[in-house]
Amino acid sequence: WGIRLLNRGHKMTMSQVANVVFVLCILSVGSYAQHHNNWAVLVCTSRFWYNYRHIANTLSLYHSVKRLGIPDSQIILMLAEDVACNARNSFPGVVFNDASHQLNLYGENVEVDYRGDEVTVENFLRVLTGRHAPEVPRSKRLLTDEKSNIFVYLTGHGGDEFLKFQDHEEVSSHDLADAFAQMHTQKRYHEIFFAADTCQAATLYNQFYSPNILAVGCSLKGENSYSHHSDREIGVAVIDRFTYFTLNFLEKVDPSSTASVASLFRTYNPKELMSRPGVRADLFHKQLHESLVTDFLGSAIHVTVSNDSYVLPLDDE
């Protein structure tokens, strides 16, 4: 590895070896990419049992980004309804996204940052802009910087340039655009990938004007978002079509994948979605085939082996 020691007769302890490896990793990361860390903000805005699929949508994406390398410390998960503990749930403490019941989305390793009444328009916008009260813990904050790529996913009930929160308030396309503008001014992101699974989802990005934002919505103006299938035992739909086909694609992706965002978008078939997906890339500074899916939904840490020498002075024990 090209490590040169000042004290040639000195034996390195395990902690010193670990420090050397850490230094080499940091040096390689700095030269590998323009962004150094990835974050995800995953939001289910719907409450009530019959919106089970929206919770399952969000938890499904949560598991995907974790599998691809984004840690819980860099995921903000907002769930407006706790269907796992709903009295109507015939599988208490469990959430499924498929009628086969192969995966419990609400297992032991799920960290919900905002739940129930905490999922409000105000709290969502505060997460994006970082304008929190002093008592808000770090675990509920989006601690990003100008080297951060952020995946923002929203699902719920929406309309022309708005998305409902908790069935009694709305976030508008103007609210989202202004929040992203504040983030850009505050140097809180490098690139943003915005995705929405809701009726007329593509209208949510109409007012965006800040640079380096890529956006996709499952349906154009005047079109609906549709569920994929229902579960007879649970009694409701368990996932939406757009999220279902997104997951189908992500299941074939691993942290080292070179799959591009363009290849993801090509999998969206209007006949399967029963709506026409919309993409907005005019604010984005790269070609879609140049942007990897894992640039947003995976770990940003890449380790390479260096042949260069680094002088590491060792203290005598």
Side-chain angles (χ1 to χ4, degrees), residues 200 203 220-224:
Q200 307 188 66
T203 64
L220 300 181
K221 182 177 179 178
E223 298 181 349
N224 295 325

Side-chain angles (χ1 to χ4, degrees), residues 176-285:
L176 293 169
D178 291 343
F180 289 152
Q182 288 185 49
M183 294 176 71
H184 178 251
T185 300
Q186 298 166 350
K187 297 183 178 181
R188 286 177 58 78
Y189 73 86
H190 175 247
E191 296 170 344
I192 291 176
F193 180 15
F194 175 86
D197 192 348
T198 182
C199 296
Q200 307 188 66
T203 64
L204 287 174
Y205 57 62
N206 281 353
Q207 305 304 325
F208 290 2
Y209 55 91
S210 302
N212 299 342
I213 299 179
L214 175 64
V216 61
C218 68
S219 53
L220 300 181
K221 182 177 179 178
E223 298 181 349
N224 295 325
S225 167
Y226 291 96
S227 62
H228 184 266
H229 67 277
S230 297
D231 185 316
R232 292 186 178 183
E233 292 184 79
I234 295 175
V236 292
V238 292
I239 195 169
D240 281 319
R241 287 176 175 267
F242 177 79
T243 301
Y244 177 87
F245 290 110
T246 299
L247 292 175
N248 273 358
F249 179 89
L250 293 179
E251 286 175 358
K252 304 176 183 68
V253 174
D254 60 43
S256 62
S257 172
T258 58
S260 68
V261 174
S263 64
L264 168 62
F265 291 168
R266 284 196 295 269
T267 66
Y268 295 142
N269 185 336
K271 291 185 178 179
E272 294 176 328
L273 297 179
M274 300 178 64
S275 61
R276 292 171 295 169
V279 174
R280 184 172 177 191
D282 60 299
L283 298 171
F284 202 55
H285 64 133

Side-chain angles (χ1 to χ4, degrees), residues 5-13 16 313-317:
L5 304 181
L6 293 183
N7 301 348
R8 296 185 181 276
H10 189 91
K11 294 184 178 179
M12 297 181 70
T13 65
Q16 289 170 332
L314 301 176
D315 296 331
D316 293 331
E317 292 182 353

Side-chain angles (χ1 to χ4, degrees), residues 61-80:
L61 266 298
Y62 170 81
H63 283 280
S64 291
V65 299
K66 281 189 66 174
R67 179 181 64 81
L68 291 173
I70 301 182
D72 268 313
S73 59
Q74 291 170 212
I75 301 173
I76 302 296
L77 179 60
M78 307 179 77
L79 300 179

Side-chain angles (χ1 to χ4, degrees), residues 40-309:
V41 180
L42 312 175
V43 187
C44 165
T45 67
S46 299
R47 65 186 315 163
F48 306 122
W49 171 253
Y50 57 80
N51 291 316
Y52 184 107
R53 68 190 185 279
H54 296 154
I55 290 85
N57 288 346
T58 313
L59 287 171
S60 297
L61 266 298
Y62 170 81
H63 283 280
S64 291
V65 299
K66 281 189 66 174
R67 179 181 64 81
L68 291 173
I70 301 182
D72 268 313
S73 59
Q74 291 170 212
I75 301 173
I76 302 296
L77 179 60
M78 307 179 77
L79 300 179
E81 175 67 37
D82 190 359
V83 296
C85 299
N86 192 292
R88 297 182 183 182
N89 192 351
S90 53
F91 301 92
V94 174
V95 177
F96 296 117
N97 64 359
D98 191 278
S100 64
H101 298 173
Q102 292 183 349
L103 174 65
N104 173 19
L105 300 172
Y106 207 77
E108 296 179 356
N109 297 319
V110 175
E111 294 185 14
V112 183
D113 300 292
Y114 295 81
R115 66 174 71 240
D117 292 338
E118 291 182 320
V119 182
T120 63
V121 171
E122 178 182 353
N123 281 341
F124 170 59
L125 295 179
R126 286 185 180 278
V127 165
L128 294 181
T129 60
R131 299 180 182 277
H132 295 284
E135 64 270 15
V136 175
R138 289 176 60 87
S139 61
K140 291 191 172 188
R141 297 173 183 248
L142 186 68
L143 302 174
T144 54
D145 55 37
E146 59 187 344
K147 297 297 184 181
S148 303
N149 278 7
I150 308 172
F151 174 54
V152 179
Y153 172 84
L154 303 178
T155 185
H157 291 289
D160 186 4
E161 299 201 21
F162 73 88
L163 178 66
K164 288 184 178 180
F165 269 67
Q166 303 277 5
D167 246 16
H168 61 76
E169 61 175 344
E170 302 167 354
V171 65
S172 72
S173 58
H174 291 276
D175 295 328
L176 293 169
D178 291 343
F180 289 152
Q182 288 185 49
M183 294 176 71
H184 178 251
T185 300
Q186 298 166 350
K187 297 183 178 181
R188 286 177 58 78
Y189 73 86
H190 175 247
E191 296 170 344
I192 291 176
F193 180 15
F194 175 86
D197 192 348
T198 182
C199 296
Q200 307 188 66
T203 64
L204 287 174
Y205 57 62
N206 281 353
Q207 305 304 325
F208 290 2
Y209 55 91
S210 302
N212 299 342
I213 299 179
L214 175 64
V216 61
C218 68
S219 53
L220 300 181
K221 182 177 179 178
E223 298 181 349
N224 295 325
S225 167
Y226 291 96
S227 62
H228 184 266
H229 67 277
S230 297
D231 185 316
R232 292 186 178 183
E233 292 184 79
I234 295 175
V236 292
V238 292
I239 195 169
D240 281 319
R241 287 176 175 267
F242 177 79
T243 301
Y244 177 87
F245 290 110
T246 299
L247 292 175
N248 273 358
F249 179 89
L250 293 179
E251 286 175 358
K252 304 176 183 68
V253 174
D254 60 43
S256 62
S257 172
T258 58
S260 68
V261 174
S263 64
L264 168 62
F265 291 168
R266 284 196 295 269
T267 66
Y268 295 142
N269 185 336
K271 291 185 178 179
E272 294 176 328
L273 297 179
M274 300 178 64
S275 61
R276 292 171 295 169
V279 174
R280 184 172 177 191
D282 60 299
L283 298 171
F284 202 55
H285 64 133
K286 293 190 292 188
Q287 297 296 316
L288 297 187
H289 68 271
E290 298 174 345
S291 298
L292 303 184
V293 171
T294 52
D295 283 347
F296 296 95
L297 278 70
S299 171
I301 297 178
H302 305 268
V303 177
T304 58
V305 176
S306 172
N307 292 321
D308 297 330
S309 296

